[in-house]
Amino acid sequence: MIRVLVADDEPLVRAGVRAILSTDPGIAVVAEAATGRQAVDLAQRHRPGVAVLDVRMPGGDGIEAAAEIRRTVPATGVVILTTFGEDDYILRALGGGAAGFVIKSGDPEELIASVRAVADGAAYLSPKVAARVVAHLAAGDTGALAGRRRAARARVDTLTAREREVLGHLGTGLSNGQIARRLRVAEGTVKAHVSSILTRLGVDNRAAAAVVAHEAGIAAERH
C-alpha cells in the first residue's frame, strides 16, 4: 500500500486529489495539509511514501516544503502539482529534490502514475511539464532551443551506449525495475547505470536527468 500525504490550501482540490487517488486500491491518503508547514509536520509524523504538494500554499510554499521533507524524511518522495505559467516553480522544485511533476488540469491517470512512479523510486514528468521546462530553459538562454539541445546532446555524448539507453527510458518515468525488464538485465545493473548517469550529467536526481533526456531528444517511447 502506498501511503500518501496531500497538501493544497484549497479544500476542493484536496478532495479531488483524494478522490482520484482512491480509485487505485493500492494507494491510501493518510493525511491532508493546507499549508507548507503543516505538510512538513504531517510528513514527519506519518512518514508517507509520497507527498503530493501544490506549489502555492501559505505558510511556506510547496517547493520549500518539498526541500524540507526531502531533508528530514528522505524516504518520502515528492510529487508537485503545478499549473501552466509556473515554470520557475518547477525549476526550483527540481533543485529541491522533487521527483514528480503533474499539471493540475491534466489527465487524472497522470496523478496516479506519478505517485506510483515516485513510490517506486522513479521520476515522473508529465509530458506537458517536460515540454514547458525545456522551452523555459531554452528561452532563458542566450541561444535558441537548438543551442540548448546541442548542449544537452553534448552532455549525453559523455555517456556509454547502455547509459544513453537507460537515460532514454528514465526520461519517460520508468523505475529501475521496469527499465531492467525492458533491457533484460538485473535491476542492480540499472541502479548502477542510473548512479553513473547522474554523476556524468552533473544532476542531483532522476527528474533533472529526465529533463536532460527530453532536451536531448532521447526520451524513449513509453508503451
Side-chain angles (χ1 to χ4, degrees):
M1 180 66 69
I2 302 170
R3 302 169 69 253
V4 177
L5 160 70
V6 175
D8 194 293
D9 61 327
E10 298 183 26
L12 281 176
V13 174
R14 292 200 306 272
V17 171
R18 176 188 282 275
I20 290 169
L21 295 179
S22 69
T23 65
D24 188 318
I27 297 175
V29 175
V30 297
E32 294 184 22
T35 70
R37 184 65 257 168
Q38 286 179 359
V40 173
D41 291 344
L42 289 172
Q44 293 172 345
R45 184 186 312 166
H46 294 277
R47 298 188 174 274
V50 178
V52 178
L53 310 177
D54 183 26
V55 291
R56 294 184 179 181
M57 292 184 290
D61 65 24
I63 311 306
E64 294 170 352
E68 183 68 6
I69 288 171
R70 293 296 298 147
R71 186 182 70 80
T72 61
V73 196
T76 298
V78 174
V79 171
I80 295 293
L81 291 176
T82 183
T83 61
F84 285 117
E86 295 180 329
D87 302 358
D88 288 335
Y89 282 92
I90 297 171
L91 297 176
R92 284 177 55 207
L94 280 169
F101 298 84
V102 178
I103 296 288
K104 279 187 175 181
S105 59
D107 188 334
E109 287 299 319
E110 285 192 350
L111 177 59
I112 293 173
S114 70
V115 167
R116 285 204 159 275
V118 172
D120 202 24
Y124 187 92
L125 282 171
S126 161
K128 291 180 180 179
V129 171
R132 286 191 65 83
V133 169
V134 172
H136 183 81
L137 291 172
D141 254 347
T142 54
L145 178 58
R148 185 76 195 186
R149 285 176 174 163
R150 281 195 299 271
R153 287 170 183 156
R155 294 167 74 187
V156 168
D157 283 344
T158 67
L159 306 179
T160 66
R162 178 60 96 181
E163 287 171 346
R164 287 194 294 273
E165 196 172 9
V166 170
L167 178 62
H169 289 298
L170 188 154
T172 66
L174 295 185
S175 67
N176 288 350
Q178 290 169 321
I179 295 172
R181 289 190 290 275
R182 292 286 180 93
L183 301 182
R184 298 180 180 177
V185 298
E187 186 171 346
T189 299
V190 173
K191 183 177 180 180
H193 283 317
V194 171
S195 178
S196 177
I197 288 167
L198 298 185
T199 299
R200 288 174 183 263
L201 294 182
V203 296
D204 296 326
N205 56 63
R206 298 171 69 103
V211 171
V212 176
H214 283 274
E215 285 182 316
I218 67 165
E221 291 283 335
R222 183 164 189 172
H223 302 292

